[in-house]
Amino acid sequence: MKKTTISLKRLVPGLIIGPASWLGPYIVMNSLFLPAIIQHLDAPNKIQLVALFSTCGMIVAALSNMIAGALSDKTKSRFGKRAPWIIGGSFVFMLAMIVASTSQGIAFLLGAWMVGQAALNFIVAPMVAWIDFAPKEGRGTASSAYGGLGMALGNNGFNVIGAMFLSQYRLGFVIFGVFTFIGTLIATLIVHEPSNLDNEEVATEKKEKPKLSWHDIKTIFPSWSVGRDYYLALIGKLFQGVGNFAITGYILYIMTDFLHRGSQTQSTIQMINIIMLVFGIFMGFVAGPVSDKLKILKYPVGFSTIFLAIGALTLFFFRNDAGIIIYAFAAGIGMGMWNSLDNLLNLEVIPDENRVAFFLGVYNLGNTITQAIAPVIAAVVISWFGFSAIFIVSFVFSLIGGISMLSIKSVKR
């Protein structure tokens, strides 16, 4: 079967606009608008409710991501494997967020949010597989465009704008939901994935349509001996993600309830995200090309977590402006380097090249599922030990994530 290759001239812009269009609105709504509307609807139980939403979201995200990746890998259409699911997912996500904006009760909000979580993963799993369309010599650049530039804009750029809608969070749900659909549509049109109807694999499948066997179901995930490095990368992604989102998922409450920023909350959140955005974009331009040239990948991904760990400790020890700025700088460097290269590292250790979207999709649950796990862990830690303890949790989880990445054997450096 001939592998589909798309030129970097089309792929790179799509890999920047695409992830920014789904991740940015999601980050804003998950970290700012959702906590704000929950606080409005049931302030006394806000910590527990954020954890509830996160737990339900984690389950929905895990299931929908695997399903989306598997369906995408098997799809045959004149628009390619990925585009139909990406566009469909973004449209449903937009509708779900518009519905969420009208919520007058927790149950209704939870239902709309869960539909949005499922739809979101029908964007994520197929879109990250676009990286596999890159020419062999340009995969580092493609990965850097997706993670370093696209996800940097998504993780930090949108929060700068999103903080302006804190007092109008219902309108924010609508605006950012619509933006997801429009941005994703534009990215898909730029990439312009070719038809795969004439793929050799299709002709084979038309003649032979093997039934799904119990053996196939049991081998959805390979054994540890086969998929060791993939599993280590997945473990690293999950621990690093929890370390990061344990702080960012509660950034609004950290500013109001822990650091007592009061009227400076909005400007402080904007400042943090601007600093992280600048470093994220810088790493997006630099990390991928340097990785391609020097043939170095595992070490920068693994050691990037040290910066996250340092950032977490500064907020723990310095509960003032200096601590906030140091956190923003350290987290900006660490996340910029990580986002630029971690998808490429995962692509190098995928155990089955015929199921790229599935395995990349499961791996990229780290971008959604860890935002669900982290608030649950943080809620427990906060209730037992207070807000300050989540910074220690972030420190420990970040380091474990880095160690897991550095333990990969098939990628030498």
Side-chain angles (χ1 to χ4, degrees):
M1 181 180 64
K2 185 178 179 181
K3 183 179 180 297
T4 299
T5 301
I6 297 175
S7 70
L8 291 179
K9 290 181 180 179
R10 294 203 333 252
L11 202 55
V12 167
L15 286 170
I16 295 172
I17 297 171
S21 297
W22 69 257
L23 181 60
Y26 174 69
I27 290 286
V28 170
M29 288 185 273
N30 187 62
S31 63
L32 298 178
F33 299 159
L34 184 65
I37 197 171
I38 287 175
Q39 183 168 266
H40 171 72
L41 295 174
D42 191 353
N45 299 305
K46 63 182 181 181
I47 298 294
Q48 292 76 17
L49 285 172
V50 168
L52 171 66
F53 273 65
S54 297
T55 302
C56 294
M58 173 179 62
I59 296 170
V60 171
L63 294 175
S64 60
N65 194 288
M66 289 187 286
I67 293 171
L71 290 175
S72 173
D73 284 331
K74 296 295 183 182
T75 296
K76 315 296 176 187
S77 81
R78 61 186 295 261
F79 303 107
K81 292 182 175 184
R82 319 300 180 191
W85 297 105
I86 292 171
I87 297 300
S90 64
F91 182 73
V92 175
F93 179 77
M94 174 184 68
L95 294 181
M97 294 305 98
I98 292 173
V99 171
S101 72
T102 67
S103 300
Q104 299 299 323
I106 292 296
F108 187 87
L109 177 63
L110 180 62
W113 187 254
M114 291 307 103
V115 172
Q117 287 282 300
L120 184 75
N121 283 280
F122 274 83
I123 307 172
V124 178
M127 185 178 285
V128 71
W130 278 351
I131 298 173
D132 194 45
F133 291 145
K136 182 70 175 178
E137 67 278 4
R139 300 218 303 183
T141 299
S143 176
S144 191
Y146 182 93
L149 294 174
M151 295 189 71
L153 288 169
N155 273 313
N156 307 117
F158 283 74
N159 267 338
V160 176
I161 303 171
M164 298 167 61
F165 287 88
L166 268 176
S167 60
Q168 296 178 294
Y169 47 81
R170 292 185 186 274
L171 177 62
F173 273 106
V174 176
I175 291 175
F176 284 94
V178 171
F179 187 93
T180 294
F181 175 68
I182 294 175
T184 301
L185 177 61
I186 292 172
T188 306
L189 291 174
I190 291 173
V191 171
H192 192 60
E193 185 182 346
S195 169
N196 65 338
L197 288 176
D198 59 348
N199 193 299
E200 293 175 16
E201 185 182 37
V202 178
T204 303
E205 289 184 0
K206 284 183 178 178
K207 294 178 182 178
E208 304 174 11
K209 293 186 178 180
K211 295 180 180 179
L212 184 65
S213 67
W214 175 243
H215 175 74
D216 294 331
I217 296 174
K218 289 193 299 182
T219 56
I220 288 176
F221 288 99
S223 64
W224 176 265
S225 60
V226 174
R228 175 190 179 275
D229 284 350
Y230 173 79
Y231 293 130
L232 283 172
L234 182 59
I235 291 169
K237 178 80 165 181
L238 292 173
F239 273 85
Q240 183 271 355
V242 171
N244 178 45
F245 292 123
I247 294 178
T248 59
Y250 276 98
I251 194 67
L252 177 62
Y253 299 159
I254 288 172
M255 292 300 153
T256 57
D257 297 7
F258 178 66
L259 296 178
H260 307 290
R261 303 298 291 180
S263 61
Q264 294 181 307
T265 294
Q266 176 178 316
S267 60
T268 302
I269 292 174
Q270 288 176 315
M271 178 191 68
I272 290 172
N273 283 285
I274 288 172
I275 293 173
M276 292 183 69
L277 175 62
V278 169
F279 277 99
I281 291 175
F282 174 74
M283 287 295 173
F285 278 112
V286 173
V290 169
S291 174
D292 282 337
K293 185 175 182 178
L294 300 181
K295 308 300 181 186
I296 186 170
L297 181 58
K298 179 173 70 174
Y299 292 151
V301 172
F303 289 122
S304 68
T305 61
I306 292 176
F307 289 98
L308 290 177
I310 291 172
L313 287 184
T314 58
L315 284 177
F316 177 76
F317 288 112
F318 305 104
R319 305 174 187 185
N320 51 27
D321 290 343
I324 292 172
I325 293 173
I326 295 172
Y327 164 75
F329 272 81
I333 295 172
M335 287 305 300
M337 194 182 304
W338 175 280
N339 286 334
S340 295
L341 298 173
D342 81 300
N343 279 306
L344 179 58
L345 179 59
N346 183 248
L347 195 58
E348 294 294 327
V349 297
I350 282 179
D352 185 350
E353 292 185 357
N354 293 321
R355 293 193 290 155
V356 171
F358 174 78
F359 284 111
L360 279 178
V362 171
Y363 178 75
N364 271 270
L365 279 173
N367 295 320
T368 51
I369 201 171
T370 52
Q371 293 188 59
I373 297 173
V376 176
I377 295 173
V380 173
V381 170
I382 290 170
S383 63
W384 287 358
F385 305 106
F387 265 104
S388 60
I390 65 173
F391 304 111
I392 303 301
V393 169
S394 175
F395 172 79
V396 172
F397 272 69
S398 295
L399 285 186
I400 293 175
I403 292 170
S404 295
M405 288 296 191
L406 293 172
S407 299
I408 291 173
K409 292 182 178 179
S410 58
V411 178
K412 299 303 180 184
R413 61 194 187 103

